[in-house]
Amino acid sequence: MNGLVKWAAAAVVVVVVGGLAFVVLQPKASPRVAAPVAATAAPPAAATSGLTSLPATGNAVAVAANSGFTCAITASGGVKCWGYNEFGYLGNGTTTESRNPVDVSGLTGGVTAIAVGGFHGCALMQLGGVKCWGRNDGGQLGNGTITSSSIPVQVAGLTSGVTSIAAGADHSCAVTKAGGVKCWGFNAFGDLGNGSTTGSLTPVDVAGLSSGVTAIAAGGDHACAVTKAGGVKCWGWNAAGQLGNGSTTSSLTPVDVAGLTSGVTAIAAGDVHTCALLSAGGVRCWGLNSLGQLGTGSTTNSSTPVNVTGLTTGVTAIAAGRSGHANYAFHTCALLTVGAVKCWGWNNSGQLGNGTTTNSSVPVDVSGLGSGATAITLGTSHSCALLEGGGLVCWGNNTNGRLGDGTTIDRLTPVVVKGI
């Protein structure tokens, strides 16, 4: 039985998935205790927003968030990160956290895409090479070692020929020019999709996906790919049905997502749920739904795709909350054609951005973002949006300064990221 247990003294939530219990820890400094789905508590006074208008200009062209830190690509092709930095997550050669963006060492230009995993980051270079940094206990940096690195290291065998990348909790994946998929890192649940549960310190081929893949997403312990035909295949952990094939049996190789053999343009993988963007602009989600992260108006899990309430058209991008196993993420957001952002699911830290800490099992409007957003990304309990003109805003949990506004104050509505 899936459910939530509230431990007020320890400020934790225990989520039970497929017989396994996962502890969701709340920041010790937070005055809130994680609440069940029907939460109605008023937001704390400290969790306020400083955003009065959207920034007219900025220097960002892409943004990626996960767990306790956030990264962005600048207009010059450089990378800046901010927030938690225990194992060198910020990539600046230190383990000192930062409340403001800092330069990733050696990546001042030439970066075309970034992916942020549980406690590591990866960058796709102009020539198609991949570099990663941060925690490396599962080989998620792909350089043949399990030594963490506070500066970017080259992923073995991927110096060119890569077109897109994805980073999960502690595994990483890449799509090649030929449309093939390679993954590396942790593999206890078949995360790498190569038919085994043996981890790999360097990239390995995903079984059956040597060509024809156009997009990739990596979740907690699963991953999914979109094919040229618009179909979706997923592999790895499946305790809550996050593979979408109508079962809760994990798979070491890719399986077809039920009902999605065509018409999908993008995919987003959360810790224990997954969502797809359809060519008509609608959104479907599947997997764990304990806090309404599927957006169906209920908290019932689904092992096959279900429609998100009110989002049958008009969506251009989707994002699902992800973490690094220490804190599981349970929210989802969508970017609309008009540049507005809507979010749903868990809202303990204001990550839905609607000025409350009340969970929602249906999409709600992010305050102040009725237009002007061009991209979105989600961490464990914070969210960010890239704006027209290159500005960045973030909201939700701000432990370790992950919102980039120079403070550690949680924000229930968007605030401007400073210094980028």
Side-chain angles (χ1 to χ4, degrees), residues 336-383:
L336 307 188
T337 307
V338 296
V341 180
K342 292 178 179 284
C343 298
W344 58 96
W346 202 23
N347 198 28
N348 67 312
S349 296
Q351 58 263 46
L352 301 190
N354 66 335
T356 78
T357 55
T358 302
N359 303 327
S360 179
S361 60
V362 296
V364 295
D365 294 326
V366 175
S367 178
L369 289 184
S371 64
T374 60
I376 51 175
T377 184
L378 309 186
T380 304
S381 51
H382 78 292
S383 312

Side-chain angles (χ1 to χ4, degrees), residues 2 234 238-249 255-260 272-274 285-289 294 300-306:
N2 297 320
C234 298
N238 196 30
Q242 60 263 45
L243 301 190
N245 66 335
S247 81
T248 54
T249 302
V255 295
D256 291 324
V257 174
L260 294 183
V272 203
H273 76 293
T274 314
C285 297
W286 58 95
L288 186 68
N289 196 30
L294 300 190
T300 303
N301 296 349
S302 181
S303 60
T304 57
V306 290

Side-chain angles (χ1 to χ4, degrees), residues 66-67 322-324 327-331 351 378-382:
N66 203 327
S67 196
R322 297 176 302 132
S323 71
N327 296 290
Y328 270 71
F330 308 101
H331 75 297
Q351 58 263 46
L378 309 186
T380 304
S381 51
H382 78 292

